[in-house]
Amino acid sequence: MDTKKILNIVTLVMFVITLVLLGLFVFGGQVPNQSYPTPVYTEAFLNWAYILCGIAVLAALAFPIARLVTRPKEAMKSFIGLACVVVVVLIAYALADDTPLQLTGYTGPDNVPSRLLFTDTIIYTMYILFGVAVLAIVGTEIYRRVK
């Protein structure tokens, strides 16, 4: 069987699983006796998101290593991309703040410096990557018009 065909089947299966879990999350009902509306399938939906994130991380690391073995000269481009992502995460980490929040009535375990630093890093990373994506789209369109 062709590798491209297998990849298309796996992608389709993952998409169908995502749609089913999304439907369960949205239409599956609410957990009773909660102070806020809480969908029943929240945990399953989050676990699936963690699995997809893990697959993405493994692929982002495995393919450059595989390319290093098969085509060493072309592998440098992949490692440059990974190095750029690491630099973006380090910049976001430097911007992150770990000061505990003053939340009235909240006594949960999540308002600690380590958790706040982690979430701030993720949020700033998303902001930076979103900005880079928008700049890349605009830059590509300008380049096409000029060329």
Side-chain angles (χ1 to χ4, degrees):
M1 196 181 252
D2 185 22
T3 307
K4 190 170 183 173
K5 189 172 183 178
I6 293 171
L7 185 59
N8 286 339
I9 291 170
V10 169
T11 304
L12 185 62
V13 167
M14 289 182 356
F15 185 69
V16 167
I17 291 171
T18 302
L19 284 179
V20 168
L21 286 173
L22 181 62
L24 287 172
F25 179 78
V26 173
F27 303 113
Q30 304 291 327
V31 176
N33 302 325
Q34 295 292 318
S35 57
Y36 295 104
T38 306
V40 174
Y41 295 98
T42 302
E43 187 174 348
F45 195 65
L46 287 174
N47 287 336
W48 180 244
Y50 294 146
I51 290 169
L52 290 179
C53 185
I55 290 170
V57 168
L58 286 175
L61 295 174
F63 285 114
I65 292 170
R67 182 172 279 188
L68 181 64
V69 173
T70 58
R71 292 178 248 153
K73 289 184 181 181
E74 292 180 19
M76 288 310 289
K77 292 179 185 176
S78 299
F79 284 114
I80 289 171
L82 282 175
C84 290
V85 170
V86 169
V87 167
V88 166
V89 171
L90 289 175
I91 291 170
Y93 182 80
L95 293 171
D97 184 22
D98 63 352
T99 306
L101 304 171
Q102 301 299 322
L103 302 171
T104 306
Y106 180 76
T107 58
D110 295 327
N111 195 14
V112 294
S114 61
R115 179 74 52 109
L116 295 170
L117 190 64
F118 178 72
T119 55
D120 269 9
T121 301
I122 291 173
I123 291 170
Y124 282 125
T125 300
M126 297 296 257
Y127 289 160
I128 293 168
L129 292 177
F130 179 74
V132 168
V134 168
L135 288 175
I137 291 168
V138 170
T140 301
E141 289 301 318
I142 291 172
Y143 178 75
R144 284 184 186 172
R145 301 275 186 227
V146 172
K147 189 178 176 183

